Amino acid sequence: IKEGRTPSAKEAIDHVVNGMTQYMLHTTHPGYFGLYNPKASFAGILGDTLTAAFNPQLAAWSHSPFALEVERMLLMAFGKRFGYTEDKIDGTFCSGGAEANHTALLAALNHHFPQFAKEGLLSIQKPLAVYCSAQVHHSITKAAGVCGLGYHSVREIPTVDLEMDVEALEQQIKKDQAAGIYPLMVVATMGTTGTGNIDPIEAIFALKEKYGFWLHADGAYGGALIVSKTYRSLLQGIENSDSITFDAHKWLSVPMGGSLFITRHPHILSQTFNIQADYM
């Protein structure tokens, strides 16, 4: 396209299509075997098209009640599939697993310290710790930084066969408590990014009963096992978590980004994020 001339719509579209064809990794190609982000289904592509066409505003129920009820129906369906009690399920769609994990950390903060949303970290007046395996997704560390806890608040626990060592986890919690550090949250990774390993969430839950931390299940990758009759038993115990991250845009072949944050604490999202404004 010559400089100084406004391109036609067709020229602009052709330019983008050619650029995307030549300069990106094509996860939709039959020769791509990564399969971490599979090809979006035709129904998913149509869903994205409808969303772009109607452009619903989801900030208030009155603006788009149908779309919001569809969202709620899907969150309830997955919450029940993961084993949460129906009358206690809440959640929200997120742009990706990183936002969902960030939401989990904020929920944990407001669950343990109800004044946090209004008064911030200064109201807590004690150091906090977040625990995860050495195979955890980096979004957990990023969330700790964004929330003001700092990267050093994240304790990466050693693994056994690439799964969290629960004995080492308890030892670290005891060590932190002795130093006056509060065990805020433990992240059980249900399908690690590198190898697909699943942390022993039932054994971690036994420690939750003892130490009272928020238990988050990061099932961004492996959470889709919950729809498999053959392999869903690999997620046994996920129903005891306080919250779950699940990326539908991975195994369920929907377009980026269709991540879900689901919790069994029905008031925590309102407690964490609700702000009143007359125009809403």
Side-chain angles (χ1 to χ4, degrees):
I1 300 172
K2 293 183 178 180
E3 188 175 338
R5 183 177 69 83
T6 301
S8 67
K10 183 180 184 306
E11 288 174 325
I13 292 172
D14 287 345
H15 178 69
V16 171
V17 170
N18 290 334
M20 297 292 279
T21 300
Q22 296 182 55
Y23 304 111
M24 68 172 284
L25 174 67
H26 290 277
T27 60
T28 59
H29 192 279
Y32 173 73
F33 293 103
L35 304 182
Y36 194 74
N37 294 309
K39 181 178 181 179
S41 66
F42 182 64
I45 295 170
L46 286 180
D48 256 13
T49 303
L50 287 170
T51 301
F54 283 97
N55 199 24
Q57 164 61 271
L58 303 187
W61 187 90
S62 60
H63 291 181
S64 189
F66 177 80
L68 280 163
E69 288 301 325
V70 168
E71 180 183 43
R72 179 163 178 78
M73 180 272 292
L74 289 169
L75 288 163
M76 292 292 292
F78 278 106
K80 287 189 288 185
R81 184 63 69 96
F82 280 114
Y84 284 170
T85 304
E86 183 173 359
D87 62 346
K88 294 185 177 180
I89 298 170
D90 197 11
T92 184
F93 273 79
C94 300
S95 59
E99 183 185 353
N101 286 338
H102 185 187
T103 302
L105 182 51
L106 287 169
L109 281 163
N110 283 281
H111 175 76
H112 285 275
F113 307 101
Q115 76 278 17
F116 174 78
K118 292 183 178 180
E119 300 178 14
L121 287 172
L122 289 176
S123 64
I124 297 176
Q125 298 182 341
K126 67 180 71 173
L128 310 176
V130 176
Y131 305 84
C132 54
S133 88
Q135 299 292 315
V136 75
H137 191 266
H138 68 274
S139 61
I140 298 298
T141 304
K142 288 178 67 176
V146 172
C147 289
L149 302 181
Y151 295 160
H152 289 171
S153 68
V154 178
R155 308 289 195 260
E156 292 192 359
I157 305 302
T159 60
V160 176
D161 295 329
L162 299 179
E163 298 172 7
M164 186 188 292
D165 184 340
V166 179
E167 290 186 5
L169 170 63
E170 183 169 21
Q171 290 173 5
Q172 184 63 56
I173 291 174
K174 288 180 177 179
K175 179 180 177 181
D176 284 340
Q177 285 185 325
I181 299 171
Y182 187 87
L184 176 69
M185 182 173 83
V186 174
V187 179
T189 304
M190 313 305 284
T192 56
T193 304
T195 60
N197 284 73
I198 294 173
D199 285 337
I201 193 168
E202 290 185 294
I204 297 172
F205 175 70
L207 294 186
K208 169 185 167 60
E209 297 285 88
K210 188 174 181 180
Y211 297 101
F213 50 75
W214 180 281
L215 176 55
H216 177 61
D218 181 4
Y221 187 28
L225 291 170
I226 205 66
V227 303
S228 168
K229 293 181 179 179
T230 304
Y231 297 109
R232 65 183 300 170
S233 61
L234 294 174
L235 301 181
Q236 184 69 36
I238 197 170
E239 68 278 4
N240 294 320
S241 64
D242 293 291
S243 57
I244 299 169
T245 288
F246 169 52
D247 283 357
H249 58 254
K250 292 190 168 73
W251 292 15
L252 298 193
S253 298
V254 301
M256 288 278 198
S259 185
L260 287 73
F261 170 81
I262 310 172
T263 178
R264 61 179 178 86
H265 296 271
H267 305 298
I268 194 63
L269 286 175
S270 177
Q271 179 183 329
T272 302
F273 295 106
N274 184 51
I275 296 176
Q276 299 295 324
D278 292 340
Y279 51 81
M280 299 302 291

